Amino acid sequence: MAIDSDVDAATALKNKGNKAFAQHDWAGAVDLYTQAIEKNDRDPSFFCNRAQANIKLESYGYAVADATHAIDLDPNYIKAYWRRAVANTAILNSREALRDFKTVVKKEPNNKDAKLKLAECEKLVRRVEFFKAIEVGDPPSAFEGLDIESMEVDASYDGVKLENEMTQEFINDMITRFKNGKKLPKKYVFQIVQAVRNIVYDEPTMVEMEIEPATTLTVCGDTHGQYFDLLEIFRLNGFPDEKHAYLFNGDFVDRGSWSTEIALLLYAYKWLRPKMFFLNRGNHETDDMNRVYGFEGECKAKYNERVFKVFSESFSALPLATLIGKKYLTLHGGLFSDDNTSLEDIRKLDRHVQRQPGQQGLMMEMLWTDPQPQNGRGPSKRGVGLQFGPDVTKRFCEKNGLEAVIRSHEVRMEGYEVEHDGKCVTVFSAPKYCDATENKGAYINIGPDLKLQYHKFDAVPHPDIKPMAYAQSSIMSMM
């Protein structure tokens, strides 16, 4: 039982947490709400507020647990049902979310917004079930029957023409077109995606590369449709050329509202310089995430559904990892549930027989897992995958002769973070993520000496189109 002085101190800490939240300091808010809970664990609002801060940190598993605790303390606490529903929607547990939205409507029958969200959630559930019902083991290619060659380019197109090969001139013109809010002809979109799908399909699941003398490799993390911030990386660090390679470590799309522009620009560079431009798959280069977080909707709005389908096919062909100079394993998520997993297991993984990562297995872990500060392994704060500690990273690096693992997948306030005694590096390249988090972006430059040089950068202004503008559901905007 909390004594009065503890209750007062806990309330003061909660108020400080609310201020931190208002300043978009999500991690600081979580810490203050946690301190409040340590002094008084009987107030449901502390757990509910921490749930909302965890939603902002994309720690959806933690958010579900906190909202559940708040509901256990007060079964009539409507806000906790909302928060749990939003967190479950974020990790694609739409059936669980549906249950909570039904509870909100039952308890507040005149709440119009709750009724709207319930209807949207019911639609989401039907959509998920529809795609499961029509899923086939080995679907035909999305390019089948697509006669790209005979497609006409609209007479109103005023840009550089694309013939059978990508050119720097075309890329330069495309960069400017996209900055000015213009699109590419669908014919060119299909050409680019098909060319890159064919290139990456033939690459191994783990690309193994060396950094040649007098060249630099830049490793970038998530860019999430933040096109103008991607251009800022190139402005500060140099555009890709024959002496400057780039590796983008997944999550090019979703959330930000220029995802097609980023995907097409990265693909154009991959087509132009296939041996100097590398792309790893992220957990957002997957169908189920694209349907919820905006990329599918953006493809349909700017082009058509077929464009999304060919992108989907190309995403499933992307490599899952890149081994740099035999010293740095670079992959989107992180390490594995089994200590016996090795680089050889990644080499042998046939990603072409499993187009989507699913809920378990090697591919899912490579795209979804996160580091944790304590040793061992733990449940995922996201509600998908798992977390791995410094001892897990150390054993993996020693066993495989690695200096470190480079991964992305998580916001870092300074754009990057070195953890696990220097053996786990996170790099995140979407500054002011979703226009809501006050983080910097970062990238890593690596020369032939294989030393890591970290560079931070700030977000730049962009046209007034909000993140998630093309998401299929307004539930997602609640995040």
Side-chain angles (χ1 to χ4, degrees):
M1 185 80 179
I3 58 175
D4 288 348
S5 60
D6 280 345
V7 170
D8 292 343
T11 301
L13 285 163
K14 181 188 99 162
N15 292 336
K16 282 184 180 177
N18 292 347
K19 282 183 181 172
F21 188 93
Q23 291 165 354
H24 295 185
D25 179 8
W26 320 125
V30 165
D31 184 50
L32 288 160
Y33 295 141
T34 301
Q35 291 178 51
I37 288 165
E38 285 166 357
K39 289 190 175 294
N40 176 15
D41 62 1
R42 305 304 300 161
D43 189 325
S45 71
F46 299 172
F47 290 96
C48 194
N49 286 15
R50 191 170 70 177
Q52 182 65 0
N54 273 318
I55 286 170
K56 293 292 189 181
L57 287 170
E58 298 185 15
S59 298
Y60 301 120
Y62 287 176
V64 168
D66 276 341
T68 300
H69 204 116
I71 290 164
D72 289 343
L73 290 169
D74 180 1
N76 291 312
Y77 197 7
I78 300 296
K79 198 180 284 186
Y81 290 100
W82 274 106
R83 303 253 160 98
R84 190 166 68 179
V86 169
N88 270 316
T89 304
I91 51 176
L92 314 182
N93 287 341
S94 44
R95 277 211 160 279
E96 296 294 322
L98 184 62
R99 192 175 297 129
D100 281 334
F101 282 126
K102 281 180 177 175
T103 300
V104 173
V105 169
K106 190 176 178 182
K107 290 180 181 292
E108 291 189 341
N110 296 321
N111 186 327
K112 288 181 182 176
D113 193 34
K115 286 179 178 176
L116 175 67
K117 295 297 187 289
L118 173 60
E120 288 202 11
C121 194
E122 286 172 335
K123 192 173 162 188
L124 265 178
V125 169
R126 286 195 299 271
R127 204 157 180 261
V128 168
E129 288 175 349
F130 169 74
F131 282 113
K132 274 185 183 168
I134 64 169
E135 202 172 81
V136 291
D138 189 17
S141 170
F143 292 99
E144 198 171 283
L146 196 62
D147 188 359
I148 300 173
E149 208 165 300
S150 67
M151 287 181 183
E152 296 289 330
V153 173
D154 194 280
S156 64
Y157 175 68
D158 56 357
V160 172
K161 287 186 168 51
L162 178 62
E163 304 296 345
N164 295 322
E165 296 294 332
M166 181 54 64
T167 65
Q168 189 64 57
E169 183 191 16
F170 182 87
I171 290 176
N172 294 344
D173 181 67
M174 178 171 65
I175 288 171
T176 304
R177 288 187 73 76
F178 288 164
K179 278 171 71 175
N180 294 332
K182 294 182 177 181
K183 296 181 292 188
L184 290 181
K186 291 189 191 74
K187 172 176 180 155
Y188 293 170
V189 172
F190 287 125
Q191 269 185 273
I192 292 167
V193 179
Q194 185 177 53
V196 172
R197 184 265 176 203
N198 293 340
I199 291 167
V200 298
Y201 189 93
D202 290 335
E203 291 181 328
T205 295
M206 181 175 73
V207 173
E208 302 185 44
M209 64 161 299
E210 301 291 334
I211 302 174
E212 301 299 330
T215 63
T216 300
L217 170 69
T218 298
V219 180
C220 297
D222 305 38
T223 50
H224 274 304
Q226 296 185 197
Y227 177 71
F228 294 86
D229 296 318
L230 170 64
L231 296 188
E232 179 70 354
I233 294 174
F234 291 149
R235 186 188 73 80
L236 293 169
N237 194 51
F239 284 80
D241 62 31
E242 64 278 358
K243 291 292 184 182
H244 194 161
Y246 273 84
L247 164 59
F248 283 83
N249 195 28
D251 281 16
F252 330 123
V253 302
D254 279 341
R255 294 189 177 276
S257 295
W258 290 270
S259 290
T260 55
E261 287 80 1
I262 283 193
L264 287 166
L265 178 55
L266 297 185
Y267 273 26
Y269 273 122
K270 180 65 180 175
W271 188 5
L272 182 67
R273 306 186 188 281
K275 300 299 182 189
M276 291 292 285
F277 201 89
F278 303 92
L279 301 169
N280 285 343
R281 189 179 190 180
N283 66 303
H284 276 270
E285 279 73 52
T286 56
D287 286 356
D288 52 4
M289 300 298 275
N290 294 158
R291 287 179 184 131
V292 171
Y293 284 92
F295 184 61
E296 181 192 43
E298 185 179 335
C299 286
K300 287 178 177 177
K302 293 178 180 176
Y303 297 102
N304 59 28
E305 187 176 15
R306 190 71 173 267
V307 165
F308 171 68
K309 286 182 174 178
V310 296
F311 263 122
S312 167
E313 184 170 322
S314 73
F315 289 164
S316 70
L318 289 168
L320 303 179
T322 303
L323 183 62
I324 302 168
K326 302 183 181 64
K327 290 297 177 188
Y328 299 106
L329 175 66
T330 308
L331 73 175
H332 183 72
L335 295 181
F336 311 101
S337 56
D338 185 349
D339 271 348
N340 292 319
T341 301
S342 68
L343 294 182
E344 195 53 37
D345 293 307
I346 301 173
R347 287 186 184 101
K348 290 190 295 194
L349 176 64
D350 185 353
R351 69 192 189 278
H352 300 313
V353 300
Q354 182 190 345
R355 288 179 56 165
Q356 302 301 322
Q359 295 296 309
Q360 58 188 16
L362 201 59
M363 185 190 292
M364 181 279 289
E365 291 174 0
M366 293 175 74
L367 300 185
W368 275 99
T369 63
D370 297 297
Q372 64 181 23
Q374 62 271 32
N375 280 337
R377 293 177 174 86
S380 170
K381 61 191 173 190
R382 297 173 188 271
V384 183
L386 58 94
Q387 295 182 174
F388 57 95
D391 57 331
V392 174
T393 306
K394 185 180 181 206
R395 286 193 297 270
F396 183 83
C397 287
E398 286 175 351
K399 180 179 174 182
N400 292 282
L402 299 174
E403 289 282 330
V405 173
I406 299 174
R407 42 90 61 183
S408 302
H409 194 40
E410 288 183 284
V411 177
R412 291 293 188 260
M413 294 310 291
E414 292 302 310
Y416 74 96
E417 187 172 359
V418 181
E419 302 168 82
H420 293 187
D421 302 315
K423 294 196 176 300
C424 180
V425 177
T426 299
V427 59
F428 192 84
S429 304
K432 201 168 186 187
Y433 180 45
C434 290
D435 290 349
T437 303
E438 302 303 322
N439 64 295
K440 293 184 180 297
Y443 50 88
I444 306 170
N445 282 339
I446 311 174
D449 61 358
L450 297 181
K451 302 289 185 220
L452 306 184
Q453 297 176 324
Y454 302 100
H455 298 268
K456 298 186 282 188
F457 69 103
D458 292 313
V460 295
H462 62 71
D464 188 21
I465 301 173
K466 290 184 168 37
M468 306 285 282
Y470 300 97
Q472 301 285 309
S473 165
S474 70
I475 299 171
M476 305 310 290
S477 65
M478 295 173 68
M479 293 174 208

